[in-house]
Amino acid sequence: MQLRNIAIIAHVDHGKTTLVDQMLRQAGVFRANQQVDERVLDSNPLERERGITILWKNTAVRWGLGGDTKINIVDTPGHADFGGEVERILRMVDGFLLLVDAAEGPMPQTRFVAGKALALGLKPIVLVNKVDRQDADPLRVHDEVLELFLELEATPEQFSCPFLYTSSRYGTATRDLALPGTTLVPLFETILETIPAPRVDRDGPFQMLISTLDYSSYLGRIGIGRIERGRVRLGDTVALLPLGEPGPLGDAPYEQARVVKLFGFEGLERVALEEAAAGEIVAVAGLAGVEIGKTVTAPDHLERLAGIAVEEPTISVDVKVNDSPFAGREGKYVTGRQLRDRLFRELERNVALRVEETADPQTFTVSGRGELHLGVLMETMRREGYEFQVSRPRIIPREGPNGEQLEPYEELMIDGPEGYLGVVMEKLGPRRATLLDMRNPGVGTVRMRFKIPARGLLGYRSEFLTDTRGTGIMHHRFLEYGPWAGPLEGRSRGVMVADREGVAVAYALFNLQERGAMFVKPGDPVYEGMIVGETARSGDMDVNPAKEKKLTNMRTTASDEMIILEPPRPVTLELGLEYIEDDELIEVTPSSLRLRKRALRASERRKLARREARAAEEL
């Protein structure tokens, strides 16, 4: 049987998961009359809600005469925050499909993932997707992809890769735009012609690198990866080598284990195998101490493979035990020990994450690749029943070669109508953004590319959507570490802080909404120090959202006003992480998200403000 291992990489929302669905259909994985959900690979509830791929998925189809070729297809995340997932799975494949939107062209995340794949020497096939869009311009995008390959220093062989024009929605592909496609047969044929079979040694002693983990309550930990050398059989004794430099193990201790279960992938199913050979992507159960990046070998050939190198995190937050007046009301897991166990358990699968203990046993520093990376972890934990508090994200600085302080910079790409160009430039100026280039495709929108400190992006997304009336699109990815940009302005508006515990009342909120936007609605419980709204001016304001109208039998000539409330601004995790300041926290529970001050009492906040003012004067 012939083997092909390929990854599908693209910017978020360019249609790669939809394309995999169509490949599964046309390869006969589903029966002709079988009803299947769209985006069948996005099985995680968070992925379906957000419409993005977060975790990589492996599937396999058979193609060729009598199904003699097995194509292992890996669907990768498109967002740079989940780059840790991408860097792991690229080690398992020999080629990749680079999917690019026929209207938008190469975007920041396309550049990020394609750069990783080309550097590993993988063979590309470029798919210009969504050619059925009204504003599609596939020839322009074709040239932009070639420019991208030049910038990423692709080899001559990679540069002369095949181009296909596809429509994920309709499941069509063609090599020539003049001849519209009808099926994905040209794509399957191009994969067999272009992507090489795995370059592996089938006859040597067994060797495999663990690329990811799964868990079964019946089998325990399951290690997934590609067999690099030899073959493995059910019941074999294998050696699990510790992490370290590639090469012979020497005298270092190692763990011996038996292969209890061996699985391969067929379609969407995991199938039990008796034996698997080099080049196959398999799942192995029975290895108790298995971790990502470890090597599994034959016991008589203890030789380590190069581990998985993952870029360092750029943003960190403090996750601490909930100590608000409402602590323990809604969560199932609320103690510091339970929080610690859950965070350290996440490290087993999430290789791009870092968790550190602090001097306070109730507080942990969690570092990740971006706000979305950390936000997805927190959303997953709250759905599991955890209750905790989160601080404002802060960047992780580095020290330069001459002792200078460096900070992370992001590449920011903005697409928006021409009319909002001025307001975007005006807002990004104080955030220390530098314009790298600007293009006007001539359809009423402008594309701008900026270099901006990661600190400058905190809190900008919601402001950007307001400024462009929801018509702008922004994407960003980590670019490099650069010199410290200096102080940046914080949030320009103040907040309304509840001055007592109670329940929000419509009468009180009606009077308060004239001062700004509200975060709570009638009936929501509030406590002293909780943030209930945003004021139109700078400076915080203590308010009473539980104030009721006094009911007496006195009548006036003026009739009662009809109370009409504006809908409150919904508080999401991403909005909260962007919005809060250093003296504020997000209270995360399974059923609520609340913003609060670190110091709940107004008298404590005034003392802290005086102390900070004195310290500033002394400096």
Side-chain angles (χ1 to χ4, degrees):
M1 183 183 67
Q2 291 289 311
L3 267 179
R4 298 290 187 275
N5 296 327
I6 61 168
I8 297 189
I9 60 182
H11 183 78
V12 63
D13 203 31
H14 276 198
K16 60 188 175 304
T17 304
T18 309
L19 181 74
V20 175
D21 288 357
Q22 289 287 357
M23 292 174 77
L24 290 169
R25 289 174 191 279
Q26 296 193 24
V29 172
F30 307 132
R31 297 189 308 275
N33 60 348
Q34 187 174 353
Q35 293 293 317
V36 182
D37 287 343
E38 276 192 53
R39 301 173 57 82
V40 69
L41 282 185
D42 282 352
S43 51
N44 184 318
L46 274 177
E47 293 178 318
R48 287 185 171 270
E49 286 173 22
R50 293 167 184 256
I52 59 172
T53 301
I54 295 171
L55 305 170
W56 75 275
K57 315 289 190 313
N58 183 30
T59 183
V61 299
R62 303 270 179 165
W63 196 257
L65 294 171
D68 61 348
T69 303
K70 181 180 180 182
I71 304 173
N72 282 311
I73 305 168
V74 184
D75 182 23
T76 67
H79 205 287
D81 276 21
F82 306 110
E85 293 280 316
V86 175
E87 288 159 24
R88 280 163 28 195
I89 63 92
L90 289 178
R91 290 283 297 275
M92 297 161 56
V93 298
D94 305 287
F96 65 99
L97 305 181
L98 178 63
L99 209 69
V100 184
D101 191 296
E104 294 182 2
M107 298 291 276
Q109 271 87 331
T110 314
R111 180 185 300 266
F112 167 80
V113 188
K116 298 279 182 194
L118 293 171
L120 287 170
L122 302 181
K123 196 75 188 288
I125 297 173
V126 178
L127 308 181
V128 180
N129 193 34
K130 301 189 183 181
V131 291
D132 51 310
R133 279 182 64 159
Q134 287 187 343
D135 55 347
D137 190 353
L139 297 179
R140 170 181 60 82
V141 171
H142 182 287
D143 293 342
E144 287 178 0
V145 172
L146 293 179
E147 286 175 22
L148 176 65
F149 278 16
L150 278 174
E151 289 176 29
L152 296 174
E153 300 177 356
T155 64
E157 187 186 12
Q158 289 171 328
F159 191 78
S160 56
C161 64
F163 274 75
L164 276 79
Y165 303 94
T166 61
S167 167
S168 293
R169 181 186 293 177
Y170 298 110
T172 63
T174 179
R175 291 185 174 90
D176 186 355
L177 280 170
L179 302 171
T182 53
T183 65
L184 289 176
V185 170
L187 172 58
F188 285 112
E189 291 174 348
T190 306
I191 290 171
L192 300 190
E193 294 164 8
T194 309
I195 306 297
R199 300 184 194 89
V200 288
D201 178 5
R202 288 175 175 267
D203 303 318
F206 171 64
Q207 190 181 40
M208 168 182 168
L209 181 72
I210 301 297
S211 291
T212 190
L213 297 178
D214 201 355
Y215 182 80
S216 159
S217 54
Y218 175 58
L219 295 169
R221 286 194 193 181
I222 299 172
I224 302 174
R226 185 175 78 164
I227 302 174
E228 299 293 337
R229 190 175 67 196
R231 48 182 64 235
V232 64
R233 296 173 183 83
L234 194 63
D236 277 1
T237 300
V238 294
L240 182 64
L241 310 186
L243 299 168
E245 293 298 316
L249 183 65
D251 299 330
Y254 64 92
E255 177 188 333
Q256 277 205 351
R258 194 170 69 87
V259 178
V260 175
K261 281 282 186 181
L262 185 64
F263 298 100
F265 296 90
E266 289 286 345
L268 297 170
E269 302 296 323
R270 196 180 278 179
V271 292
L273 301 175
E274 291 293 322
E275 182 181 29
E280 271 278 21
I281 296 174
V282 296
V284 180
L287 315 176
V290 67
E291 289 179 26
I292 291 169
K294 285 190 172 182
T295 306
V296 185
T297 67
D300 51 348
H301 281 79
L302 305 178
E303 188 181 349
R304 258 192 302 240
L305 288 162
I308 294 166
V310 176
E311 288 183 4
E312 291 296 309
T314 57
I315 279 183
S316 67
V317 297
D318 288 336
V319 177
K320 57 183 293 187
V321 172
N322 188 10
D323 59 1
S324 83
F326 294 168
R329 290 190 185 182
E330 299 166 2
K332 185 178 175 185
Y333 307 107
V334 297
T335 66
R337 180 183 56 79
Q338 291 168 330
L339 192 60
R340 180 188 183 281
D341 291 348
R342 176 64 181 85
L343 289 172
F344 279 94
R345 195 163 70 243
E346 183 70 20
L347 295 179
E348 296 174 3
R349 294 191 192 185
N350 202 334
V351 293
L353 199 74
R354 300 280 183 278
V355 178
E356 299 164 42
E357 297 188 65
T358 65
D360 179 1
Q362 305 290 309
T363 304
F364 307 91
T365 300
V366 181
S367 308
R369 294 284 279 269
E371 289 173 35
L372 185 61
H373 184 204
L374 296 172
V376 165
L377 166 63
M378 294 168 200
E379 186 66 42
T380 305
M381 286 173 61
R382 71 181 285 226
R383 292 180 184 210
E384 292 171 2
Y386 286 85
E387 190 175 298
F388 51 93
Q389 294 180 136
V390 185
S391 73
R392 186 190 190 200
R394 54 188 178 273
I395 57 106
I396 302 173
R398 281 187 187 171
E399 193 173 297
N402 303 318
E404 72 274 24
Q405 192 175 23
L406 304 179
E407 67 172 319
Y409 280 77
E410 303 260 333
E411 179 188 22
L412 171 66
M413 191 174 280
I414 284 180
D415 286 314
E418 295 172 354
Y420 298 119
L421 176 64
V423 69
V424 169
M425 301 282 273
E426 183 186 334
K427 289 291 177 68
L428 287 176
R431 293 174 179 270
R432 313 278 175 157
T434 306
L435 182 65
L436 299 177
D437 61 53
M438 182 163 60
R439 295 182 185 178
N440 190 339
V443 290
T445 60
V446 178
R447 172 168 294 179
M448 295 170 282
R449 197 160 63 90
F450 295 89
K451 178 183 175 182
I452 182 171
R455 289 181 299 142
L457 276 176
L458 294 176
Y460 179 62
R461 185 180 294 274
S462 54
E463 203 173 313
F464 168 75
L465 290 172
T466 305
D467 290 342
T468 60
R469 306 293 187 272
T471 58
I473 301 168
M474 66 178 275
H475 297 284
H476 56 90
R477 70 170 186 104
F478 172 72
L479 185 63
E480 62 186 2
Y481 269 84
W484 187 261
L488 297 179
E489 288 183 12
R491 189 176 64 207
S492 59
R493 296 184 174 185
V495 290
M496 300 183 204
V497 185
D499 64 358
R500 69 199 68 195
E501 189 170 328
V503 175
V505 177
Y507 173 73
L509 298 184
F510 177 69
N511 292 319
L512 290 175
Q513 71 182 6
E514 297 174 4
R515 309 277 186 92
M518 304 307 299
F519 295 148
V520 295
K521 61 183 186 298
D524 285 352
V526 297
Y527 54 80
E528 184 179 2
M530 180 174 155
I531 297 171
V532 295
E534 178 186 69
T535 65
R537 300 178 181 179
S538 59
D540 296 344
M541 180 191 302
D542 290 325
V543 299
N544 178 10
K547 183 181 179 183
E548 297 181 347
K549 185 178 182 183
K550 298 301 178 191
L551 298 178
T552 69
N553 60 356
M554 297 295 291
R555 293 289 179 265
T556 63
T557 53
S559 60
D560 288 349
E561 291 178 338
M562 183 183 292
I563 292 179
I564 300 175
L565 294 177
E566 294 176 9
R569 185 188 296 181
V571 177
T572 62
L573 257 173
E574 274 79 26
L575 174 77
L577 287 170
E578 286 184 355
Y579 186 79
I580 60 174
E581 290 289 335
D582 293 332
D583 66 333
E584 296 164 0
L585 296 169
I586 310 172
E587 182 185 348
V588 183
T589 73
S591 54
S592 309
L593 286 169
R594 303 183 187 97
L595 307 182
R596 53 159 286 186
K597 290 287 184 181
R598 279 182 188 266
L600 294 179
R601 293 184 178 279
S603 56
E604 289 177 32
R605 294 198 297 275
R606 283 194 289 271
K607 284 179 190 173
L608 287 170
R610 283 197 295 269
R611 204 174 302 156
E612 288 172 9
R614 278 198 299 269
E617 285 172 10
E618 290 170 7
L619 288 172

